Amino acid sequence: MQVHGPDNINFLNSIVALGGRGYHSLALKSDGTVWTWGFNTHGQLGDGSAKHRNLPIQVGNFTGVSAVTGGYSFSMALKTDHTVWTWGGNANGELGNGTNNSSFVPVQVTGLSDVIQASSGWKHAVALKSDGTVWTWGQNSKGELGDAGTSNRNLPYQVGSLHNVIAVSGGDCHTIALKADGTVWTWGCYGRTQVDANTIIDYVHPVPIQVPGLTHVVKLAARDYHNIAVKSDGTVWTWGWNVNGQLGNDTTIDSESPVQVIFPVALTGSSTNLTPILMLLLD
């Protein structure tokens, strides 16, 4: 990673977390400040402007941050007081503050406290509270909010059927959650069919369902159209789209159920296990 600018080495040494999606990036420094760069038409850089930046710029006087994540046109931060703050585009309610107005500076997500993890999807967001409950807001056209409907929400909604959750992650048009018992639950879009050159049909499940045959999971991540899970034995499992080989199982065939990632023997000592990933898998 190369970030150019004044005091380059000290900047890099102080980074403790990274985030980003779409066309912008975020960095969290050890002093709790947030720095952003990239596309900024919707204010997703949080610097009070709509100017694109090709160097990191600090998000105002915004401090006390413990985690950052970015969606398509918005950004989100979790503060050490367990509140969630958002900025950028808000056409679908991504900011979670009860409006659909964009904000070029951070605003607090309404009525949400005791949050221990927050993750942004493409145009929606998900938060996990300390009591194991899951809350979602933003775009819902594919059921990504898990409320059995497809209407957008600009305020957090509790996914009522989910409890004892320990991790969450937002994908393009779906969301996944890890429970304390090691099972994985998902909702939203789960596949699509190309009918013709101009028509694509998405398959949607608007309430959480358990991913069959997947247990003992300790970490997970939802990506745009596929998911990644790490089990307690260090093996890695994926499911979803695979047109570019993103499932890592030596095929380009999509899979609606988890398949094991095949790692080269030279990397692992075996063809299936890569224990260090337990600590590396990002949101």
Side-chain angles (χ1 to χ4, degrees), residues 88-103:
N90 195 27
N92 305 284
E94 292 97 320
L95 302 190
N97 66 340
T99 78
N100 289 90
N101 302 319
S102 298
S103 179

Side-chain angles (χ1 to χ4, degrees), residues 21 24 42-44 71-75 87-90 94 122-123:
R21 217 179 192 118
H24 73 291
H42 304 281
Q44 54 263 61
Y72 166 65
S73 62
F74 74 106
S75 299
W87 58 94
N90 195 27
E94 292 97 320
W122 192 244
K123 295 183 179 180

Side-chain angles (χ1 to χ4, degrees), residues 241-254:
W241 270 21
N242 197 29
V243 65
N244 298 303
Q246 52 263 58
L247 299 191
N249 66 335
D250 200 26
T251 77
T252 55
I253 301 171
D254 299 343

